[in-house]
Amino acid sequence: MKVFKASMFIVGAIIGGGFASGKEIFEYFAKYGAVALLYVVPLFVLFYMFIKTYLKIGCKIENFNLRSVNKMIYSKNSFSKSKANPYDIIFLITFFISASAMFAGLVGLIKSYLQNLNTFVCYILVFGVSLILYKTSLKKFEMLSNLVVPLIIVCIVITSVLSIKGGNFAFNISNANAINLPFKTLTYVGQNTFFACFVIAKLGKNLSPKEQKQTSFLTALILSLLLILGILIFLFNPKLANFDLPFAIISGNLNLIFNIIFAFVILFSIITTYATILTSLKSFNFNNKKHNNPFIMLGIIAFLSLFNFGKIIKYLYPIIGVFGIIYFIKINKKFKNY
């Protein structure tokens, strides 16, 4: 049961609005056509490796927190006398970019279902939700994930089956060059595990080495299978590539009840990931009350969200992925003997 709960929490932390809405799946994989399906196996292996590493490190390090780990990684660097730790700066940039994508996703979701609602009102509503999430403990998010994530998975599977059944297969969706797929696969895993590494490591504290392997395997398997279904949705419905929330369009074409259910699926997908990022950000600044002011942090996030949900995923997420790969290599090298 511990393995299942931990896996559901990590899946909830990773899938987010970009995954559940389909936008992230298209930008990283589906736009390259059917050949993207070949990269699901290496994706599984990479997810397994990254998640197992962070679980192991969280288990081995007493009172795990990102600042202390970053300090340990940076300590032997020839520039370590510098007051600013570059890894701390990278993490802050990552958290704000990721959080702004979730903020923009919530605004976009509200506007797509309540089209007559004023944009400013949408931002106020999302800001209020953000404050509530910021004040909520990690334990409550873990409990929410155990309830909501299985529902999210079931709804994505149903959407996939129904959309595939009613669509026409297309081998290619766009003119995107598939030579980029190895890089996209690597950065996709790096990006998703990078901003979730804090909560993954925290979970590792309560898992045995065997349970850590089982959790890593189950999580990687679920994410890989969901990705296959997501790619197939686009291959059978290529026109979805033109929308910011493509899977929401699919659910809307099925029936009203399922459309409402899927709206909540995307909502909770965004909330679980957004909550993870805010928790990490809050923990990252725990010793600095000035920087830990929720109104300042959420104000920055709201401002960055104006960049647009789709554009953040397309242009900024790959940068986070590169950071994630570098961080994984550094942390793996530093703690390989633990």
Side-chain angles (χ1 to χ4, degrees), residues 252-264:
N253 293 335
L254 296 176
N255 61 63
L256 179 60
I257 295 175
F258 194 79
N259 189 27
I260 294 170
I261 293 173
F262 203 79
F264 281 99

Side-chain angles (χ1 to χ4, degrees), residues 10-281:
I10 298 172
V11 170
I14 288 176
I15 57 174
F19 190 104
S21 68
K23 189 64 179 179
E24 193 174 290
I25 295 174
F26 175 77
E27 289 296 340
Y28 276 89
F29 298 99
K31 73 178 182 181
Y32 298 104
V35 70
L37 293 168
L38 299 176
Y39 286 83
V40 174
V41 173
L43 180 98
F44 167 82
V45 174
L46 288 168
F47 262 130
Y48 176 81
M49 289 171 52
F50 276 60
I51 293 169
K52 186 165 73 73
T53 296
Y54 289 128
L55 286 172
K56 179 183 176 182
I57 291 169
C59 181
K60 296 293 183 180
I61 298 176
E62 197 70 33
N63 299 320
F64 179 92
N65 71 75
L66 290 173
R67 280 191 181 275
S68 61
V69 172
N70 290 348
K71 189 175 181 180
M72 293 171 72
I73 295 173
Y74 191 54
S75 60
K76 291 186 179 181
N77 193 289
S78 59
F79 300 102
S80 59
K81 291 182 180 180
S82 172
K83 186 177 180 181
N85 187 327
Y87 294 106
D88 287 347
I89 296 170
I90 288 171
F91 260 104
L92 280 175
I93 293 171
T94 299
F95 288 147
F96 278 118
I97 291 174
S98 305
S100 66
M102 296 303 107
F103 193 104
L106 284 173
V107 172
L109 181 65
I110 293 171
K111 289 186 70 175
S112 65
Y113 284 90
L114 300 172
Q115 297 177 3
N116 295 324
L117 193 63
N118 184 275
T119 302
F120 180 75
V121 174
C122 290
Y123 270 84
I124 295 298
L125 286 172
V126 174
F127 194 91
V129 171
S130 302
L131 276 174
I132 294 170
L133 294 177
Y134 187 86
K135 296 290 184 181
T136 307
S137 67
L138 186 64
K139 194 69 179 176
K140 290 182 180 178
F141 292 136
E142 189 174 353
M143 292 171 60
L144 178 66
S145 293
N146 292 333
L147 294 171
V148 173
V149 172
L151 175 63
I152 293 171
I153 293 171
V154 169
C155 285
I156 291 175
V157 170
I158 293 173
T159 303
S160 303
V161 172
L162 293 176
S163 64
I164 291 169
K165 186 179 178 181
N168 295 309
F169 183 80
F171 191 83
N172 289 314
I173 295 175
S174 69
N175 295 321
N177 194 337
I179 199 171
N180 296 320
L181 262 171
F183 173 75
K184 283 294 188 79
T185 303
L186 190 56
T187 54
Y188 182 75
V189 176
Q191 164 242 313
N192 278 291
T193 53
F194 188 46
F195 65 68
C197 68
F198 171 74
V199 293
I200 295 173
K202 284 290 185 182
L203 289 173
K205 202 72 181 171
N206 301 315
L207 298 172
S208 67
K210 183 180 179 181
E211 288 170 335
Q212 290 170 21
K213 291 179 181 179
Q214 291 172 340
T215 299
S216 303
F217 181 87
L218 181 58
T219 305
L221 181 63
I222 291 170
L223 292 170
S224 300
L225 292 175
L226 290 177
L227 182 66
I228 290 173
L229 292 175
I231 294 171
L232 288 174
I233 289 176
F234 282 103
L235 293 178
F236 279 88
N237 302 273
K239 291 182 180 179
L240 291 176
N242 301 319
F243 299 95
D244 263 358
L245 300 171
F247 290 178
I249 301 299
I250 279 283
S251 65
N253 293 335
L254 296 176
N255 61 63
L256 179 60
I257 295 175
F258 194 79
N259 189 27
I260 294 170
I261 293 173
F262 203 79
F264 281 99
V265 165
I266 298 176
L267 174 66
F268 283 115
S269 298
I270 295 173
I271 284 176
T272 51
T273 302
Y274 191 25
T276 300
I277 299 165
L278 290 179
T279 300
S280 301
L281 188 57

